[in-house]
């Protein structure tokens, strides 16, 4: 679905100075690929704030191009349509939500859960994740096509990834469960609801810990259960 | 917020035959209250299916009255405005979601959780709860006023009820936790997400157990944790 074309990217006035200044011919090809990846990341970031402000339906490709400081032509070379731009945002969100590879090298299940849930990431990244989830939550309701897209990219595919990880942990003897697929849903539900159902204003649900403390408390419950050990 | 007026209810053609047939004068007052409660319940049920079909914004009081087979005047006597009708639906939903009183008499924490989560209720009631949650999920996004109402009735008030129950269980020594309020959020998140994020069609997330089996698996995880005991 994503464009994988190697289109030439029009240099940007606002682009930070590259490492290659044209004197090293052999670096040019690699530099172009690097520039395209950087530009794509920046455009997706701009698209996110534009979707947040104007909603998906109220956002045009022309507006994203303007906000990103690039031409419409360049934008269409990167993303052939608005929905492909939104899909890229969803896919990046999913990739950022969990860090299963890091969990594989963890010495204990506790460390693994903290790695998967990215508990120790910066406050800024916690806030960014919550903001993305809220956008998706709104758009999945408002737009049936986006609902389908999000259920696939951020629903079933995420569930498959977590199920595979749970099965690895069961094989290691570190997780006891009656159903890996149900356990994966339970873990994802806790992780997603921790952020999505978190009050935006402190007066909605009072007395909750900050997100990092909350996730650490929750991980203790997930590991040890409510019953005294 | 709710109307507590003792307005006379116009008898309905479709109303089931009452127990009092007018021969017992002393029963009349009680019968009227009973009839009003039955009628209110039926109107709320009708309003739910009307909101589902036409959305909150697309629903008029006239349409609810017509669907319920009552006059607009009778409907306004029961519920002075559409938002009060919606609030009544949210309050009934919250009351139906959890059964904390039943949990208080449970012999074990496992029985208490099954009672609170109403795991053993009928399939029909499980489906009804999920359908109500999905309506609220959609309307809270679509309508800011309803979002505020739902966050209060089905957010903070529910959280307070569960926190109080967790604290009772902690006092009994049946729950070990670092924060009762965080634990209440964790339990509610699991309970709500179990229903709300459940796929409507089987192809979205495959291999999940049915809702009752899923909740029973989840209760085992909540009780015992993932770590071997």
């Amino acid at each position: 679905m994503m464009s994988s074309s190697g289109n030439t990217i029009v240099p940007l006035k606002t682009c930070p100075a590259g490492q290659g200044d044209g004197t090293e011919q052999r670096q040019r090809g690699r530099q172009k690929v690097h520039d395209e990846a950087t530009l794509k990341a920046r455009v997706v970031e701009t698209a996110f704030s534009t979707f947040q402000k104007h909603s998906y339906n109220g956002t045009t490709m022309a507006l994203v191009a303007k906000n990103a400081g690039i031409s419409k032509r360049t934008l269409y070379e990167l993303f052939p349509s608005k929905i492909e731009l939104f899909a890229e945002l969803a896919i990046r969100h999913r990739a950022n939500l969990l860090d299963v590879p890091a969990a594989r090298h963890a010495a204990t299940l506790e460390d693994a859960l903290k790695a998967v849930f990215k508990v120790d990431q910066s406050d800024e990244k916690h806030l960014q994740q919550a903001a993305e989830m809220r956008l998706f939550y709104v758009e999945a309701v408002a737009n049936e096509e986006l609902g389908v897209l999000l259920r696939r990219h951020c629903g079933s595919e995420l569930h498959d990834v977590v199920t595979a990880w749970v099965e690895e942990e069961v094989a290691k003897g570190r997780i006891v469960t009656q159903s890996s697929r149900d356990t994966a849903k339970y873990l994802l539900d806790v992780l997603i609801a921790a952020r999505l159902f978190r009050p935006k204003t402190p007066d909605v649900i009072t007395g909750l810990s900050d997100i990092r403390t909350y996730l650490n408390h929750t991980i203790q419950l997930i590991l040890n259960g409510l019953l005294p050990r």
Side-chain angles (χ1 to χ4, degrees), chain A:
Chain A
M1 186 174 187
M2 294 293 93
S3 163
S4 58
S5 65
N7 294 315
T8 306
I9 303 304
V10 179
L12 300 175
K13 289 175 196 161
T14 55
C15 191
Q19 291 169 313
D21 58 1
T23 56
E24 294 179 67
Q25 289 286 337
R26 283 175 306 172
Q27 289 293 318
R28 281 194 173 174
R30 189 175 293 177
Q31 188 61 35
K32 201 168 74 179
V33 171
H34 174 74
D35 284 351
E36 174 163 337
T38 307
L39 179 59
K40 272 195 155 182
R42 193 163 63 76
V43 168
V44 170
E45 207 176 306
T46 303
F48 169 65
S49 56
T50 311
F51 289 141
Q52 259 193 319
K53 195 168 173 189
H54 300 279
S55 87
Y56 179 79
N57 286 333
T59 295
T60 60
M61 289 290 267
L63 184 59
V64 173
K66 187 183 163 219
N67 288 348
I70 59 175
S71 70
K72 268 173 69 176
R73 183 184 163 162
T74 303
L75 179 58
Y76 276 105
E77 280 169 355
L78 292 170
F79 301 102
S81 67
K82 188 169 69 162
I83 197 157
E84 291 186 61
L85 180 51
F86 192 90
E88 178 73 15
L89 179 61
I91 289 166
R92 284 172 190 248
H93 171 75
R94 187 189 69 206
N96 280 330
L97 195 61
L98 300 177
D99 191 355
V100 171
R104 291 209 171 98
H105 306 110
T108 64
L109 185 59
E110 180 171 356
D111 289 345
L113 279 168
K114 286 182 181 178
V116 172
F117 281 23
K118 301 179 85 161
V119 173
D120 293 326
Q121 69 186 348
S122 69
D123 287 352
E124 195 188 353
K125 286 188 177 173
H126 278 298
L127 287 172
Q128 176 70 14
Q129 282 188 351
E132 287 176 3
M133 276 185 195
R134 289 203 191 99
L135 173 71
F136 294 163
Y137 170 92
V138 169
E139 293 296 351
V141 169
N143 186 316
E144 181 52 32
E145 190 181 11
L146 297 185
V148 170
L149 185 152
L150 289 167
R151 280 193 291 278
R152 186 174 71 240
H153 289 311
C154 300
S156 60
E157 289 177 12
L158 205 49
H159 186 242
D160 288 344
V161 168
V162 178
T163 300
W165 174 68
V166 169
E167 282 168 0
E168 284 173 38
E169 292 290 338
V170 169
K172 284 182 193 170
R174 300 205 296 197
I175 283 184
V176 176
T177 178
Q178 292 169 291
S179 159
S180 296
R181 292 195 81 75
D182 285 359
T183 299
K185 174 167 162 55
Y186 156 81
L187 290 171
L188 272 171
D189 282 355
V190 172
L191 169 65
I192 290 171
R195 299 167 194 280
L196 187 60
F197 298 156
R198 196 165 184 83
K200 276 186 257 187
T201 49
D203 59 314
V204 177
I205 296 182
T206 57
L208 286 185
S209 306
D210 67 88
I211 185 70
R212 202 175 288 111
T213 309
Y214 175 77
L215 286 172
N216 276 317
H217 282 171
T218 303
I219 284 173
Q220 291 308 315
L221 294 175
I222 291 169
L223 287 169
N224 296 307
L226 291 175
L227 290 172
R229 277 185 179 251

